[in-house]
Amino acid sequence: MRAFFRTVYKFMGEADIYLLSLSSISAIYGMILISSVLKNSSSSSNQIYVQIGAMVIGLVLFVMFSYLDVDIIADKSGLLLIFSALFIITLQFWGIGEEETGNNAWLRFLGFGIQPAEVVKVTFIIVIAKMLANHKDRKTLNTFSSIVQIALVFLLIFGLIVRISSDLGSALVYGFIFVVMLFVGGIKLRWFAIVGGLIVAVSPLIWNNFLTTQQKNRILAPFLPELIVNPQTGLIDSVTRRDVLFQSDNSVRAITSGGFRGQGLGQGRMTQSQVIPRQNTDFIFSAAGEELGFVGCVLIIALLVAIIIRCIYVGIKSNNTLGLLVCSGVAAMFLAQTFENIGMCLGLLPVIGITLPFYSYGGSSIVACFAALGIVSGIKMRPKPLRFRTL
């Protein structure tokens, strides 16, 4: 027993206790909000049990990855890439989704749903970080061949997610992670300009041939609601406009009705009447706004921003290219999901199905978030390279 406590004490002293505390507080806060949203639902207890189970698994992975050397994991980047691609491809054969969203993003295993795109974010970050670090060490980072190699890996994962799961929201998060890691890795701005020009050039092709009318409507809704069309008729009509904006409009009403302190946990009029679809997942922030008010919303943002800043801090302090890139990728993942989720809850950004890290219901998301932060904790625990140590 003494040996166990000594091990725990040693871990608490060496691991990133700040990330562990911030993530645990956020996950518990999220479960409280989910429990309130589902207060009058028969599935309330089941979903809370799933969240608790996911948190336990996530904490185990946090500890495990804290002790694993990210360099050793990254040395297997080829296998990680193969795993990532195959894991997403399984959706083609055994994937399940939701008719109204048009995606095919989940696998059902032993009664539990697993979202490959959430899990693969972690492996994707490590693969891209390893490629960038290798090219930087060889001083070939900004050559045409290296740019093509790195871009092809991104396009493979991005394309599989869009093509097989139709999960545009997750794909865009991957895109943001990729851009941030390229910038931190030292890719010259001219390459960003070239790629940006190519994206602009092919945008009409993507818009007209790869996006469904429903996806187009979701993108246009916050900016140009007058252009929303009926998928069946291809014509603009007021019914379709109300349907597309229904979630975000009601989310804004719920948040603004909460005022400074909110209507009270479990007392939100709109939350308890369940008028906002997926409020326990994509729109959990609106529940915090209505029931806990401005204070509850600021607390969520503060906790997530603290996690992002801590990841960046650990990356900088690591004095290691791979460590910096991995930490930057994890920070970018949290930033992209936080910004997009809160933005769509406030009616400022398109509703594209992005979860709020640690707060939205979803076991895959919580497990992936804890695992990612565990890797960051492991980077913090690793000794600095000899050339960076001070005498």
Side-chain angles (χ1 to χ4, degrees), residues 144 147 188-201:
F144 178 76
I147 296 296
K188 292 183 178 179
L189 294 179
R190 70 168 180 265
W191 290 111
F192 288 99
I194 292 171
V195 174
L198 290 174
I199 292 174
V200 171

Side-chain angles (χ1 to χ4, degrees), residues 265-326:
L265 191 66
Q267 303 299 318
R269 182 180 61 82
M270 296 182 70
T271 297
Q272 297 308 314
S273 59
Q274 301 181 351
V275 298
I276 304 176
R278 295 184 182 80
Q279 195 173 18
N280 60 323
T281 55
D282 299 346
F283 287 88
I284 195 69
F285 190 76
S286 66
E290 183 179 37
E291 299 197 338
L292 300 177
F294 178 78
V295 174
C297 290
V298 168
L299 180 57
I300 290 176
I301 295 172
L303 287 167
L304 290 172
V305 169
I307 289 173
I308 294 167
I309 292 174
R310 183 64 184 178
C311 289
I312 296 171
Y313 175 82
V314 172
I316 293 172
K317 285 293 184 179
S318 70
N319 289 323
N320 176 277
T321 301
L322 181 66
L324 174 61
L325 287 167
V326 170

Side-chain angles (χ1 to χ4, degrees), residues 22 42 57 65 95-96 102 115 129 153 156 177 222 249 251 260 271 305 323-324 339 352 383-384 390:
L22 290 167
S42 58
I57 295 172
F65 282 119
I96 59 174
Q115 192 171 1
V153 170
L156 171 65
I177 293 170
D249 283 350
S251 174
F260 186 74
T271 297
V305 169
L324 174 61
F339 184 78
I352 53 176
K384 294 181 177 62
T390 56

Side-chain angles (χ1 to χ4, degrees), residues 213-247:
T213 301
Q214 185 180 47
Q215 289 173 326
K216 293 177 184 178
N217 283 342
R218 285 179 176 270
I219 293 171
L220 291 172
F223 315 112
L224 300 168
E226 68 276 6
L227 296 182
I228 295 174
V229 301
N230 188 308
Q232 279 72 42
T233 65
L235 301 174
I236 297 172
D237 64 54
S238 58
V239 175
T240 302
R241 186 182 302 116
R242 286 196 301 271
D243 289 344
V244 174
L245 295 173
F246 179 79
Q247 283 177 291

